C-alpha cells in the first residue's frame, strides 16, 4: 500500500511539474505576442493590477509594461514602471471594454513624468478603448486633422500643439489579451503652456492659467446662462469641469468662465464687435471647420476645452476639441449616421451665431479661405483616405484587427472581419460630406471626372444633402458618386 501511495505521489508530482513547465513555456498572451513580435507589430502594453478593484473614483496601484520594437519609450524596447490606474469616461463605463487613466509612479509611489512613445514627458496618460467606434480610429484621426489645422497662438514647450498625440497599442490585463487601444497624452496645463497659480506667503493664491472642460449639456455649456446659486468651491460647476487649477476650486478660478458666458448674453451687435477680446478668430474658424469636415456632433461646447494662458494677460480663450468618436458618419451607439454636416445649424449655435452673421473681422471670409486651404491639404479627400488606409494597414499587418474582432465583435458594436468593409463606408461618407460642405460654403472643389467602380458594381450615387439615389435614377442637379462630383440633368446628361 505504501509503495502504491509513493508511486502515486511521484506520478502526481511529475504531472504537476510537467504541467507547470508547459505553462511556463506557453506563457501569458503578453509574453507569447512579445516573443512573436516583428517590425509590423503594434506596441504591446501589459497592465498588471487588481482589475476587479478598479473604479472611476479611486486610483489603485499597478504596473505597466510596454514592449515596442521601435524603442520609443526612454529609448528602450521594453519598459516597465509602477503606476496608479482607474477607469475613465462616463457613459462608456457601461461597456465591458473600458478606457483607463494611467499615472506612472516612481519607486516611492509618487507620480513621475515618463515620455511614452516619444510623445512628451508627462505623468498622466490615457488608454482609450474606442468601444463604440466600428473602425477604432475616429477620435485619433480627428485629432490628427486638428493638429494639422490648429496651434496655440503663443509659444509652448511642445511646438504649439493644441491637441493630443497617440499611438495604437494592443493592451493586456494581467497578461491576458484585452484588445486594440490608443495610448495618448492628455489636454492639460503642461501641453497648453498654462501658468501655475502662485501661492503667496500669507496663504492666499493668485490664479493665473485656467482650463475648463465642457462635461455635460447644460445652459452653461450652451453659453445660454448659468445657475448663479451653484456652488463655486468644487471641481464641477454648471456642466463644466475645472481642469486647472483643479487644486484651487474657488470663485476666482471659475470667474473667467462666468464672464465668458455673461459676454454671450449681450446683444448680437455687441458680441460681434467685441468677441476678439474673448476668442482667437483663427482658432474659432478652425473649430467650425473641424465640425464641418467630420460632423463631430457631441460638442460645441460640450466635450470641448477652454483655456487661457494667464488671466493676468487678459482672458482670451483657446478652444480645444475632445472625444470625437461620434464623427465621420458614426452615431453615439456605434450605428452609422449617414447624414452630412449641417453647416447652417453649426453656425447658428450661440458660440458662432452673432459673430458669423455679422462676418465680424471677416470671419466668414476666413472660414471659407481656410476651408479652401485645408481642402488642398489635411482635409483633402485623398489625404484623409490615406490616413485611414495607413491606420488600417497597421491594424491588419500586425494582426491586431483580427484579434480585436475575435475579442470584441458584437460587444458592444459589430466589427467587420475585414476592416476595409466598414472603412469603405467611412471614406464614401467623407467624400460626400466634403463636397456637401464645399457647396454649402460656395466653394468650387474642382473635383470632376468618373471614379472607377469596385468589383464590377455600380458606385452609389448621392445628392449633396447626402440622400442616396436609386441605382440608375435620373437626377437634375449635382450628385456625388465614388467621391466625385457630377453635374447632370434629368435626362442623364
Amino acid at each position: 500500500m505504501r509503495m502504491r501511495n509513493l508511486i502515486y505521489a511521484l506520478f502526481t508530482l511529475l504531472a504537476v511539474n510537467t504541467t507547470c513547465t508547459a505553462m511556463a513555456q506557453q506563457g501569458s498572451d503578453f509574453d507569447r505576442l512579445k516573443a512573436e513580435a516583428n517590425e509590423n507589430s503594434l506596441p504591446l502594453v501589459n497592465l498588471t493590477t487588481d482589475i476587479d478593484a478598479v473604479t472611476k473614483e479611486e486610483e489603485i496601484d499597478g504596473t505597466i509594461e510596454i514592449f515596442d520594437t521601435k524603442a520609443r519609450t526612454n529609448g528602450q524596447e521594453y519598459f516597465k514602471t509602477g503606476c496608479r490606474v482607474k477607469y475613465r469616461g462616463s457613459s462608456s463605463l457601461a461597456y465591458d471594454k473600458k478606457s483607463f487613466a494611467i499615472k506612472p509612479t516612481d519607486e516611492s509611489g509618487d507620480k513621475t513624468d515618463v515620455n511614452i512613445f516619444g510623445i512628451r514627458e508627462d505623468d498622466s496618460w490615457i488608454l482609450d478603448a474606442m468601444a463604440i467606434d466600428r473602425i477604432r480610429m475616429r477620435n485619433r484621426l480627428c485629432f490628427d486633422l486638428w493638429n494639422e489645422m490648429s496651434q496655440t497662438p503663443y509659444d509652448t514647450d511642445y511646438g504649439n500643439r493644441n491637441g493630443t498625440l497617440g499611438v495604437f497599442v494592443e493592451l493586456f490585463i494581467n497578461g491576458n489579451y484585452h484588445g486594440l487601444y490608443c495610448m495618448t497624452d492628455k489636454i492639460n496645463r503642461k501641453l497648453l503652456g498654462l501658468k501655475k497659480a502662485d501661492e503667496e506667503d500669507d496663504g492666499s493664491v493668485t490664479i493665473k492659467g485656467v482650463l475648463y472642460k465642457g462635461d455635460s449639456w447644460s445652459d452653461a455649456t450652451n453659453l445660454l446662462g448659468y445657475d448663479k446659486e451653484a456652488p463655486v468651491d468644487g471641481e464641477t460647476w454648471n456642466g463644466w469641469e475645472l481642469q486647472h487649477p483643479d487644486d484651487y476650486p474657488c470663485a476666482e478660478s471659475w470667474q473667467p468662465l462666468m464672464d465668458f458666458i455673461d459676454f454671450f448674453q449681450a446683444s448680437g451687435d455687441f458680441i460681434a464687435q467685441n468677441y476678439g477680446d474673448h476668442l482667437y478668430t483663427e482658432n474659432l474658424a478652425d473649430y467650425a471647420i473641424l465640425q464641418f469636415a467630420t460632423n463631430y456632433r457631441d460638442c460645441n461646447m460640450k466635450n470641448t476645452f477652454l483655456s487661457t494662458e494667464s488671466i493676468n494677460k487678459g482672458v482670451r480663450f483657446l478652444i480645444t476639441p475632445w472625444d470625437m468618436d461620434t464623427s465621420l458618419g458614426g452615431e453615439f451607439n456605434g450605428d452609422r449616421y449617414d447624414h452630412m454636416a449641417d453647416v447652417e445649424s453649426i453656425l447658428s449655435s450661440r458660440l458662432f451665431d452673432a459673430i458669423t452673421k455679422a462676418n465680424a473681422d471677416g470671419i466668414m471670409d476666413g472660414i471659407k479661405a481656410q476651408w479652401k486651404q485645408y481642402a488642398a491639404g489635411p482635409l483633402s479627400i485623398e489625404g484623409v483616405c490615406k490616413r485611414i488606409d495607413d491606420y488600417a494597414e497597421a491594424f491588419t499587418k500586425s494582426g491586431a484587427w483580427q484579434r480585436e474582432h475575435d475579442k470584441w465583435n458584437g460587444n458592444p458594436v459589430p466589427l467587420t472581419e475585414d476592416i476595409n468593409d466598414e472603412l469603405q463606408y467611412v471614406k464614401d461618407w467623407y467624400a460626400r460630406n466634403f463636397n456637401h460642405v464645399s457647396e454649402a460654403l460656395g466653394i468650387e472643389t474642382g473635383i470632376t471626372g468618373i471614379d472607377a467602380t469596385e468589383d464590377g458594381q455600380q458606385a452609389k450615387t448621392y445628392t449633396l444633402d447626402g440622400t442616396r439615389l436609386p441605382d440608375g435614377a435620373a437626377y437634375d442637379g449635382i450628385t456625388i458618386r465614388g467621391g466625385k462630383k457630377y453635374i447632370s440633368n434629368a435626362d442623364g446628361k
Side-chain angles (χ1 to χ4, degrees):
M1 180 66 70
R2 276 185 193 173
M3 181 62 68
R4 184 184 305 171
N5 289 341
L6 180 59
I7 293 173
Y8 178 77
L10 289 172
F11 178 80
T12 301
L13 181 61
L14 178 62
V16 169
N17 286 339
T18 302
T19 301
C20 290
T21 301
M23 290 177 64
Q25 289 175 345
Q26 182 178 4
S28 66
D29 293 340
F30 176 66
D31 291 332
R32 178 174 55 82
L33 284 183
K34 187 169 64 170
E36 297 172 359
N38 57 42
E39 68 276 7
N40 293 320
S41 297
L42 298 184
L44 310 177
V45 176
N46 184 38
L47 176 62
T48 302
T49 191
D50 182 359
I51 193 65
D52 293 332
V54 177
T55 66
K56 180 182 178 180
E57 289 72 28
E58 297 291 336
E59 298 172 348
I60 67 170
D61 288 327
T63 60
I64 191 164
E65 300 168 85
I66 298 173
F67 181 78
D68 176 21
T69 59
K70 296 180 181 178
R72 287 169 289 184
T73 302
N74 282 12
Q76 301 173 29
E77 190 174 75
Y78 174 79
F79 175 81
K80 181 178 181 179
T81 183
C83 68
R84 303 283 289 171
V85 58
K86 68 176 183 177
Y87 289 132
R88 67 181 318 278
S90 51
S91 59
S92 61
L93 291 174
Y95 308 136
D96 291 333
K97 191 185 186 198
K98 295 176 173 62
S99 297
F100 296 91
I102 304 292
K103 294 185 177 179
T105 55
D106 60 20
E107 294 178 356
S108 301
D110 297 324
K111 289 192 302 180
T112 187
D113 287 343
V114 176
N115 190 339
I116 295 179
F117 300 127
I119 291 175
R120 66 181 172 100
E121 293 277 346
D122 203 24
D123 61 7
S124 190
W125 296 86
I126 293 170
L127 281 164
D128 184 11
M130 311 168 289
I132 62 101
D133 181 7
R134 295 190 189 191
I135 60 171
R136 302 298 202 248
M137 67 174 77
R138 280 181 164 92
N139 190 56
R140 181 70 264 141
L141 181 66
C142 289
F143 261 121
D144 290 349
L145 299 176
W146 175 253
N147 287 335
E148 289 280 328
M149 295 162 54
S150 179
Q151 293 188 320
T152 63
Y154 51 84
D155 290 337
T156 70
D157 292 337
Y158 303 103
N160 298 69
R161 178 154 59 89
N162 188 26
T164 70
L165 291 181
V167 173
F168 288 107
V169 304
E170 294 191 80
L171 179 66
F172 303 77
I173 304 294
N174 299 323
N176 299 314
Y177 189 77
H178 201 68
L180 180 61
Y181 277 67
C182 190
M183 194 162 194
T184 78
D185 63 346
K186 295 180 65 175
I187 304 299
N188 58 16
R189 180 195 66 79
K190 278 194 256 185
L191 175 64
L192 298 178
L194 310 181
K195 302 302 182 185
K196 291 183 178 180
D198 280 343
E199 297 183 16
E200 309 298 341
D201 293 338
D202 62 2
S204 63
V205 175
T206 300
I207 304 301
K208 290 187 173 180
V210 293
L211 176 65
Y212 311 106
K213 175 179 172 286
D215 183 55
S216 61
W217 289 115
S218 67
D219 283 348
T221 50
N222 281 310
L223 305 182
L224 299 174
Y226 52 86
D227 177 7
K228 296 182 179 179
E229 301 302 318
V232 291
D233 57 354
E235 294 180 20
T236 60
W237 173 85
N238 279 282
W240 288 89
E241 289 182 358
L242 180 65
Q243 300 275 314
H244 176 72
D246 56 336
D247 45 355
Y248 298 115
C250 58
E252 290 78 10
S253 296
W254 286 110
Q255 192 62 52
L257 179 60
M258 295 180 190
D259 294 341
F260 183 73
I261 298 171
D262 286 341
F263 169 72
F264 280 92
Q265 311 317 303
S267 70
D269 288 343
F270 185 81
I271 293 172
Q273 292 169 12
N274 296 281
Y275 85 95
D277 295 333
H278 302 270
L279 291 161
Y280 297 93
T281 301
E282 187 171 346
N283 174 246
L284 182 63
D286 284 337
Y287 185 56
I289 290 171
L290 179 71
Q291 293 179 60
F292 298 163
T294 66
N295 207 16
Y296 146 56
R297 293 175 298 118
D298 194 18
C299 62
N300 199 357
M301 302 225 75
K302 181 177 177 285
N303 283 326
T304 303
F305 289 92
L306 291 176
S307 63
T308 290
E309 181 187 15
S310 177
I311 61 178
N312 297 336
K313 299 180 180 180
V315 183
R316 202 173 180 193
F317 281 114
L318 177 73
I319 298 171
T320 309
W322 189 247
D323 195 6
M324 293 178 277
D325 282 336
T326 304
S327 63
L328 299 169
E331 183 58 282
F332 297 93
N333 61 357
D335 289 347
R336 293 178 176 181
Y337 185 79
D338 197 20
H339 300 274
M340 306 297 97
D342 189 336
V343 172
E344 184 177 348
S345 177
I346 292 168
L347 294 181
S348 66
S349 68
R350 182 61 65 99
L351 178 65
F352 295 108
D353 187 42
I355 301 168
T356 55
K357 280 182 178 175
N359 195 23
D361 297 328
I363 189 170
M364 277 307 301
D365 299 325
I367 286 174
K368 293 176 182 179
Q370 283 174 235
W371 176 266
K372 191 170 183 178
Q373 175 187 342
Y374 297 147
L379 297 183
S380 70
I381 295 173
E382 295 80 5
V384 171
C385 288
K386 184 180 186 306
R387 290 178 189 270
I388 290 173
D389 288 338
D390 286 348
Y391 281 139
E393 182 179 25
F395 291 175
T396 303
K397 280 189 173 181
S398 64
W401 185 256
Q402 185 63 57
R403 287 186 284 271
E404 177 75 1
H405 175 272
D406 294 345
K407 174 75 175 177
W408 295 111
N409 180 31
N411 184 11
V413 298
L415 304 175
T416 55
E417 190 159 6
D418 182 350
I419 189 175
N420 291 293
D421 293 343
E422 184 68 19
L423 288 178
Q424 189 57 44
Y425 157 74
V426 176
K427 290 188 283 188
D428 180 68
W429 179 91
Y430 185 79
R432 289 183 283 123
N433 185 70
F434 176 93
N435 286 283
H436 165 74
V437 172
S438 297
E439 186 76 14
L441 294 175
I443 297 171
E444 175 59 51
T445 65
I447 297 176
T448 58
I450 298 174
D451 189 28
T453 58
E454 296 188 8
D455 301 325
Q457 301 298 313
Q458 181 176 351
K460 298 175 183 177
T461 303
Y462 299 84
T463 63
L464 281 175
D465 65 0
T467 302
R468 184 185 174 191
L469 297 174
D471 292 344
Y475 183 77
D476 189 4
I478 299 174
T479 59
I480 303 297
R481 185 169 70 252
K484 306 296 184 181
K485 182 169 72 174
Y486 299 85
I487 301 175
S488 60
N489 56 35
D491 297 326
K493 298 180 180 179

